[in-house]
C-alpha cells in the first residue's frame, strides 16, 4: 500500500504476472533505492517496473535494468504507470531513477520510459518534477501517447534528465522523445507552460503516425510557449504517415491561450 516505506532492496531474476496494478516491486508503495534486475513484468493495465501507482507516494533513486515490462492494455511504464499527485520529496515526483537496457512494450496508450501518465488534474497549480532521471539503451512502444519520459504529461517539469540510445515508437499519434502529449489543466502565471530544463535526448529514434516530436509529440492548453532551457537534441524523427506532423522539437501544438 502507499503507506509502506521500503528502502535498499535488490530483486534479481524475477517474474511478476498480474492483471491490473502490476509492479516489479509493488502495486503501490513508497519505493526508495530499489534495484530491479533481469525481470519480466506483465499484465493488462497499469504495469510498471517499480510501482504501478505513485499516487501520493515517493519514487526515488530506483533502477530498473535488463528487464521486460509488458502490457496488453494501457498505462505501461519503466517505473510508475500513474505518476500524479505524488510525493512531498522536495516537491519532486520521480527523483534520481533510471531505466536501463529495458523493453517497455504495450499495445495500448499512455506508455513511458519513466511514467505512463503523469496527470495532475485535480486543479492544483503546483508543479511536480521528474528530476535527475535517465532512460538508456531501451525500447518503448505503444499506440497513442508514447514518450521516452512520460506518455501523457500534465503539470510535470523535467529537469536534469536524459534519454539516450533509445527507440520510442507509437503506432498512433502523440509520440515524443520526452513527452508524447503535454497538457496543462492547472495553469497559473507561474505554472502555465511546459518546462524541460538541463536535459537531453541523444542518439535516439522517435517513430509515430502523427504528431511526432523529437522532444514532445503535441503541446496544448498553455498560457505561454514552452520553456526549454539548456536542451540538447540528437534524435531521428520519423512518421509512417506522409501527411503526419513530425518535427525534431515539437511535433505539433494548438495556439497558446
Amino acid at each position: 500500500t502507499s503507506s509502506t516505506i521500503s528502502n535498499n532492496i535488490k530483486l534479481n531474476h524475477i517474474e511478476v504476472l498480474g492483471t491490473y496494478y502490476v509492479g516489479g516491486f509493488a502495486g503501490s508503495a513508497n519505493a526508495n533505492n530499489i534495484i530491479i534486475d533481469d525481470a519480466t513484468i506483465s499484465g493488462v493495465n497499469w504495469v510498471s517496473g517499480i510501482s504501478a501507482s505513485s499516487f501520493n507516494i515517493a519514487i526515488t533513486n530506483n533502477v530498473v535494468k535488463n528487464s521486460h515490462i509488458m502490457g496488453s492494455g494501457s498505462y505501461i511504464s519503466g517505473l510508475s504507470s500513474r505518476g500524479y499527485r505524488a510525493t512531498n520529496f522536495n516537491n519532486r515526483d520521480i527523483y534520481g531513477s533510471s531505466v536501463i537496457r529495458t523493453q517497455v512494450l504495450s499495445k495500448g496508450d499512455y506508455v513511458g520510459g519513466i511514467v505512463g501518465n503523469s496527470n495532475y488534474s485535480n486543479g492544483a497549480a503546483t508543479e511536480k518534477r521528474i528530476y535527475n532521471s535517465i532512460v538508456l539503451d531501451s525500447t518503448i512502444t505503444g499506440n497513442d501517447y508514447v514518450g521516452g519520459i512520460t506518455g501523457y504529461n500534465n503539470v510535470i517539469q523535467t529537469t536534469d534528465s536524459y534519454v539516450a540510445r533509445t527507440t520510442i515508437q507509437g503506432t498512433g499519434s502523440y509520440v515524443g522523445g520526452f513527452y508524447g502529449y503535454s497538457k496543462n489543466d492547472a495553469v497559473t502565471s507561474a505554472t502555465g507552460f511546459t518546462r524541460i530544463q538541463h536535459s537531453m535526448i541523444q542518439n535516439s529514434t522517435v517513430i509515430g503516425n502523427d504528431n511526432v516530436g523529437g522532444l514532445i509529440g503535441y503541446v496544448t492548453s498553455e498560457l505561454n510557449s514552452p520553456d526549454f532551457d539548456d536542451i540538447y537534441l540528437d534524435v531521428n524523427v520519423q512518421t509512417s504517415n506522409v501527411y503526419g506532423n513530425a518535427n525534431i522539437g515539437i511535433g505539433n501544438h494548438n495556439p497558446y491561450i
Side-chain angles (χ1 to χ4, degrees), residues 101-121:
R101 295 185 300 274
T102 291
Q103 293 186 323
V104 180
L105 310 175
S106 171
K107 297 179 180 179
D109 305 330
Y110 306 105
V111 185
I114 301 291
V115 179
N117 180 14
S118 55
N119 181 19
Y120 195 106
S121 58

Side-chain angles (χ1 to χ4, degrees), residues 145-162:
Y145 308 107
V146 182
I149 297 292
T150 179
Y152 186 102
N153 171 55
N154 191 0
V155 200
I156 294 290
Q157 172 186 344
T158 296
T159 304
D160 294 319
S161 298
Y162 69 90

Side-chain angles (χ1 to χ4, degrees), residues 91-137:
N91 200 33
R92 295 173 186 138
D93 188 349
I94 304 289
Y95 173 78
S97 295
S98 305
V99 174
I100 302 170
R101 295 185 300 274
T102 291
Q103 293 186 323
V104 180
L105 310 175
S106 171
K107 297 179 180 179
D109 305 330
Y110 306 105
V111 185
I114 301 291
V115 179
N117 180 14
S118 55
N119 181 19
Y120 195 106
S121 58
N122 69 339
T126 302
E127 282 186 309
K128 302 298 180 183
R129 289 195 286 178
I130 295 174
Y131 187 83
N132 193 27
S133 295
I134 68 171
V135 177
L136 179 65
D137 293 322

Side-chain angles (χ1 to χ4, degrees), residues 162-191:
Y162 69 90
V163 176
R165 299 193 299 269
T166 292
T167 298
I168 302 106
Q169 183 169 6
T171 55
S173 297
Y174 313 119
V175 185
F178 266 50
Y179 308 151
Y181 188 99
S182 188
K183 183 178 181 180
N184 196 332
D185 286 332
V187 291
T188 69
S189 59
T191 64

Side-chain angles (χ1 to χ4, degrees), residues 2-256:
S2 60
S3 61
T4 301
I5 300 175
S6 302
N7 295 283
N8 304 313
I9 296 172
K10 185 173 183 179
L11 301 174
N12 296 327
H13 317 301
I14 63 170
E15 183 174 8
V16 183
L17 306 177
T19 304
Y20 304 114
Y21 295 102
V22 183
F25 173 67
S28 179
N30 286 288
N32 304 306
N33 301 305
I34 308 298
I35 298 176
I36 304 291
D37 189 2
D38 188 21
T40 298
I41 303 158
S42 62
V44 179
N45 296 325
W46 299 289
V47 182
S48 294
I50 296 290
S51 176
S53 175
S54 59
F55 185 86
N56 273 332
I57 63 177
I59 304 290
T60 60
N61 298 314
N62 299 292
V63 177
V64 175
K65 60 183 179 179
N66 305 313
S67 296
H68 294 77
I69 301 164
M70 300 168 287
S72 59
S74 298
Y75 306 101
I76 315 300
S77 70
L79 287 178
S80 176
S81 300
R82 301 195 311 171
Y84 62 81
R85 211 194 279 179
T87 189
N88 290 319
F89 185 81
N90 291 334
N91 200 33
R92 295 173 186 138
D93 188 349
I94 304 289
Y95 173 78
S97 295
S98 305
V99 174
I100 302 170
R101 295 185 300 274
T102 291
Q103 293 186 323
V104 180
L105 310 175
S106 171
K107 297 179 180 179
D109 305 330
Y110 306 105
V111 185
I114 301 291
V115 179
N117 180 14
S118 55
N119 181 19
Y120 195 106
S121 58
N122 69 339
T126 302
E127 282 186 309
K128 302 298 180 183
R129 289 195 286 178
I130 295 174
Y131 187 83
N132 193 27
S133 295
I134 68 171
V135 177
L136 179 65
D137 293 322
S138 296
T139 301
I140 301 151
T141 66
N143 183 39
D144 293 334
Y145 308 107
V146 182
I149 297 292
T150 179
Y152 186 102
N153 171 55
N154 191 0
V155 200
I156 294 290
Q157 172 186 344
T158 296
T159 304
D160 294 319
S161 298
Y162 69 90
V163 176
R165 299 193 299 269
T166 292
T167 298
I168 302 106
Q169 183 169 6
T171 55
S173 297
Y174 313 119
V175 185
F178 266 50
Y179 308 151
Y181 188 99
S182 188
K183 183 178 181 180
N184 196 332
D185 286 332
V187 291
T188 69
S189 59
T191 64
F193 45 86
T194 296
R195 301 173 191 262
I196 300 177
Q197 300 174 324
H198 314 300
S199 299
M200 72 175 184
I201 178 167
Q202 184 178 27
N203 194 21
S204 296
T205 300
V206 181
I207 306 168
N209 185 59
D210 193 14
N211 299 317
V212 186
L215 196 59
I216 305 173
Y218 194 94
V219 178
T220 187
S221 299
E222 303 274 321
L223 284 176
N224 303 288
S225 60
D227 178 15
F228 300 143
D229 179 27
D230 189 21
I231 301 298
Y232 177 80
L233 299 176
D234 171 19
V235 57
N236 178 21
V237 179
Q238 303 174 21
T239 176
S240 56
N241 178 0
V242 67
Y243 300 107
N245 294 288
N247 288 288
I248 193 165
I250 298 174
N252 198 8
H253 66 85
N254 72 342
Y256 304 119

